[in-house]
Amino acid sequence: MLSEIAFYGAIETGLIYGLVAFGIYISFRVLDFPDLTVDGSFPLGAAVAAVLIIGGWNPWIATGAAVLAGMAAGAVTALLNVKLKILNLLASILTMIALYSVNLRIMGRPNIALLTEETVLTPWYNLDLAYHQVPVLLFIIVVVVSLILLWRFMKSETGLAMRATGANPRMARAQGIATGAMIVLGVALSNGLVGLAGALFAQSQGAADVTMGVGVIVIGLASLIGGEAVITPSTVVRALLACVFGAIIYRLAIAFALNADVLGLQAQDLNLITAVLVTLAIVLPGVRSSVIGKFTRNKA
Amino acid sequence: MAKRTLRTLIGATLLAAAGLGQAQEVRTVAITQIVEHPALDAVYQGVKDELAEQGYTEGDNLTVMHESAQGNSAIASQIARKFVGESPDVIVAIATPSAQTVAAAARNIPVIFSAVTDPVGAKLVSSLEAPGANISGVSDMLPIEKHLDMLQRVMPDAKRIGTVYNPGEANAVSLVNLLEERLAARNMELVKAAATKTSEVLGASRSLVGEADAIYLTTDNTVISAAEAVISVGERAGIPVFAADTATVGRGAVAALGFDYYNHGRQTGAMVVKVLNGSNPGDMPVETMDTLDLFVNPAAAQRMGITLSEDLIQDAKEVVKNDK
């Protein structure tokens, strides 16, 4: 039913969105910070990487710069919240809107093509693999490395302080944790991961486009919740694995939806399918305790 | 009895089909578009109609697959991979982002793009004359010089030309840059107003009042979606509004020198047929629109404070009569 290329394509896009889901895990789950900056930091990462790549930079350095740019965007959102006391959701919307203009400035035009440029993927095509398998292999490595680094970070003293900040800010402050600094660091880290995803996406897509961030937050959230429905996020590792699997499952679901002419489903229905998937994931019995509470309880 | 008749019928049809040879071979065309939108939908319809007219009938000797990414680039990428996996005879990619994702995914499958303004800038082809690889198509680059001739014919004294455009749309920005350059060559000036979404078009149009003698709208998707907003400002402030596409004349613009996305699709379809008949896209130069028809709307001109000359109306292929 699903062709091999469509299958690998879904895995490839899923792995990239797994990085987005990592970011959303940090902001939503660890810090309890609803962060819409990602709709801007995803194309920001793409923009920075694309401009540097066509400027002749090494694609890995360009990708690293994209991570830093994403972190800067996240830091701005967090500082608006922590220093200027702007509501976290609003702070992130402000940064997201500003980033649209910033991204246009960085690129100088709405679309930068990378089809003929040397990207992080180029050298890997020399491997003895099918064309559509190469990005999957490289992105698995990137995702696994990110997962291990994040896991180790979350176990470190700083990581524990960050988790305490999200779980109970008042208690954390009483323990001497600089909660403001933790929020800045966490949101920056989150958007750094999203910037990385944007940079890789642009390189596998063949172009950076200023409109490519639309809906990243919803898809990231759908991946996160979908993953948690499959893998109970009882530990940090399981939560991170849930992010990756959720993103891949979401992409496979879309690939099937694109093939599901039998069911009468069409591409026009994809947004509806996303909403249904998220809703189903929330109401599935197994995740009642872990998810519903976080999404329906009135926070004090 | 009925069964036997049916079987005989099927047998006869198969024999007839064998007799016709490869004319009955079923070919597959996969069409991907970045978003549903009147202009892009018209391209899709045009492609299908041209294929039908040239003997490729859906359900008979042609299978058409069609997907829209609903403006989402990750889905566009998955659609591209789905199509590559199905290895159709031709992939048609409508609009720049879709064309780029298909180009990144398709190695050996022929690709024909449509509604791409700057295929070289988008790195789809290395040159317009000799694309080289597996990709060619039809560019919707506007004949700006001819449009400006038309505008000057109606308003010889206009010096400052206003335009509303979306700085986030690749096609629109290419056109605005070109427009600015060509206007400067005519000692004229471009006054730009940016609108990043349809709700901002009205405000952007208002900013042109007092700044522009006439307004010219390119084929910018955002602005064309909200063309009525520009036209209402033109009517109230007495600034004639010209358009690049003929459909906008029906909505109240003064005049346009034919750009019709349906015809654009027909031309795309003709290239698809060539590929189905064995041509290699790499050897097919990128085409631009070859039919240009003048559409005028005298009543709209009146409302915007100018009168169209008789000879201009004579030259028009279509005189739109809407009295509102």
Side-chain angles (χ1 to χ4, degrees):
Chain A
M1 187 171 178
L2 208 57
S3 76
E4 194 190 325
I5 293 177
F7 175 76
Y8 279 105
I11 305 285
E12 173 188 339
T13 315
L15 286 166
I16 293 173
Y17 274 85
L19 295 169
V20 173
F22 283 167
I24 290 175
Y25 165 74
I26 296 174
S27 54
F28 263 75
R29 284 281 183 265
V30 176
L31 283 174
D32 200 15
F33 190 113
D35 179 25
L36 304 193
T37 316
V38 293
D39 273 22
S41 52
F42 188 81
L44 172 69
V48 169
V51 163
L52 294 179
I53 286 172
I54 60 166
W57 287 47
N58 176 295
W60 280 112
I61 295 176
T63 306
V67 175
L68 294 180
M71 291 184 78
V76 169
T77 297
L79 288 171
L80 286 175
N81 172 243
V82 172
K83 295 290 177 202
L84 302 183
K85 310 282 177 222
I86 298 173
L87 183 71
N88 47 20
L89 189 64
L90 180 59
S92 72
I93 291 173
L94 291 175
T95 314
M96 175 188 76
I97 287 182
L99 281 174
Y100 187 86
S101 301
V102 171
N103 293 342
L104 275 174
R105 275 282 173 180
I106 291 173
M107 301 213 287
R109 53 184 186 272
N111 181 295
I112 292 181
L114 295 172
L115 285 169
T116 51
E117 302 292 333
E118 166 139 354
T119 68
V120 291
L121 290 159
T122 314
W124 293 67
Y125 285 118
N126 297 325
L127 294 176
D128 191 20
L129 281 176
Y131 182 71
H132 51 267
Q133 294 171 329
V134 170
V136 174
L137 174 66
L138 177 61
F139 296 159
I140 283 178
I141 296 172
V142 172
V143 165
V144 168
V145 169
S146 308
L147 192 151
I148 292 171
L149 290 176
L150 270 178
W151 173 45
R152 298 193 57 145
F153 171 75
M154 286 298 169
K155 289 202 311 183
S156 73
E157 205 163 309
T158 318
L160 287 170
M162 189 180 288
R163 288 155 72 184
T165 301
N168 189 338
R170 202 178 285 178
M171 174 76 90
R173 266 192 299 276
Q175 299 290 330
I177 294 170
T179 52
M182 282 304 135
I183 292 173
V184 174
L185 178 64
V187 179
L189 196 58
S190 160
N191 283 281
L193 284 159
V194 176
L196 172 64
L200 296 178
F201 189 68
Q203 292 175 67
S204 81
Q205 277 308 282
D209 196 287
V210 76
T211 60
M212 65 199 269
V214 179
V216 166
I217 180 71
V218 181
I219 296 166
L221 201 52
S223 308
L224 179 71
I225 295 172
E228 288 175 349
V230 182
I231 302 174
T232 322
S234 48
T235 63
V236 173
V237 183
R238 290 179 68 99
L240 292 173
L241 284 173
C243 290
V244 182
F245 282 105
I248 291 174
I249 292 166
Y250 178 80
R251 286 296 149 196
L252 285 172
I254 286 190
F256 277 112
L258 286 172
N259 276 283
D261 299 337
V262 195
L263 299 174
L265 289 171
Q266 292 190 330
Q268 289 91 307
D269 308 325
L270 287 173
N271 286 352
L272 180 63
I273 293 169
T274 306
V276 171
L277 281 180
V278 174
T279 311
L280 277 180
I282 291 177
V283 296
L284 276 181
V287 287
R288 209 166 271 276
S289 53
S290 67
V291 177
I292 287 207
K294 284 177 185 145
F295 274 82
T296 55
R297 190 174 60 217
N298 287 324
K299 295 264 163 169
Chain B
M1 179 63 198
K3 225 174 211 173
R4 183 179 290 174
T5 319
L6 192 66
R7 209 177 293 161
T8 323
L9 253 174
I10 292 173
T13 318
L14 282 176
L15 274 176
L20 286 172
Q22 72 185 93
Q24 283 302 307
E25 186 190 343
V26 177
R27 315 302 296 274
T28 312
V29 175
I31 306 176
T32 168
Q33 75 186 59
I34 187 70
V35 70
E36 280 104 333
H37 172 281
L40 301 184
D41 293 347
V43 171
Y44 167 62
Q45 196 56 47
V47 171
K48 289 219 302 184
D49 290 357
E50 183 68 25
L51 283 165
E53 199 172 295
Q54 298 215 28
Y56 288 94
T57 324
E58 251 190 288
D60 187 9
N61 58 349
L62 181 72
T63 306
V64 175
M65 294 186 272
H66 178 229
E67 298 288 358
S68 153
Q70 311 209 297
N72 185 318
S73 50
I75 293 179
S77 143
Q78 286 196 262
I79 291 171
R81 281 160 170 89
K82 177 203 166 178
F83 283 166
V84 171
E86 310 249 341
S87 53
D89 293 295
V90 188
I91 299 179
V92 180
I94 303 174
T96 308
S98 282
Q100 284 172 327
T101 52
V102 172
R107 301 257 86 186
N108 308 310
I109 300 168
V111 178
I112 297 293
F113 59 75
S114 192
V116 173
T117 301
D118 183 6
V120 177
K123 303 238 169 94
L124 294 168
V125 294
S126 45
S127 88
L128 295 177
E129 296 73 28
N134 57 331
I135 302 178
S136 186
V138 192
S139 159
D140 62 0
M141 174 52 80
L142 297 174
I144 295 261
E145 286 293 326
K146 287 180 183 149
H147 284 183
L148 294 180
D149 289 343
M150 183 265 295
L151 195 153
Q152 285 193 301
R153 189 173 163 202
V154 181
M155 297 182 67
D157 298 329
K159 281 281 166 254
R160 300 170 303 170
I161 308 301
T163 196
V164 185
Y165 77 111
N166 179 356
E169 205 179 296
N171 285 348
V173 174
S174 311
L175 287 170
V176 166
N177 290 342
L178 187 68
L179 189 61
E180 190 158 36
E181 185 190 305
R182 297 297 167 84
L183 279 171
R186 292 172 187 239
N187 276 325
M188 291 160 80
E189 184 195 338
L190 183 69
V191 189
K192 295 184 274 191
T196 57
K197 40 186 178 289
T198 48
S199 58
E200 292 171 5
V201 172
L202 184 63
S205 314
R206 284 194 184 124
S207 77
L208 294 173
V209 176
E211 302 291 319
D213 306 321
I215 295 175
Y216 168 76
L217 300 179
T218 66
T219 43
D220 182 307
N221 288 316
T222 310
V223 176
I224 292 303
S225 301
E228 279 79 6
V230 189
I231 288 161
S232 71
V233 171
E235 287 177 359
R236 243 168 258 162
I239 310 174
V241 178
F242 296 82
D245 69 304
T246 52
T248 306
V249 179
R251 294 161 73 185
V254 172
L257 192 59
F259 191 93
D260 176 48
Y261 273 96
Y262 175 76
N263 288 334
H264 191 72
R266 293 294 291 250
Q267 206 172 329
T268 310
M271 287 187 87
V272 174
V273 169
K274 280 184 203 157
V275 175
L276 289 178
N277 293 343
S279 298
N280 171 24
D283 307 328
M284 298 158 68
V286 173
E287 297 181 7
T288 48
M289 283 293 285
D290 43 23
T291 44
L292 289 178
D293 297 319
L294 180 64
F295 277 49
V296 293
N297 188 337
Q302 215 85 57
R303 286 195 291 272
M304 291 171 182
I306 54 168
T307 312
L308 297 180
S309 66
E310 270 313 310
D311 64 304
L312 189 87
I313 296 175
Q314 288 293 318
D315 286 354
K317 184 193 177 226
E318 193 160 328
V319 181
V320 178
K321 291 193 175 69
N322 66 338
D323 306 321
K324 278 206 171 173

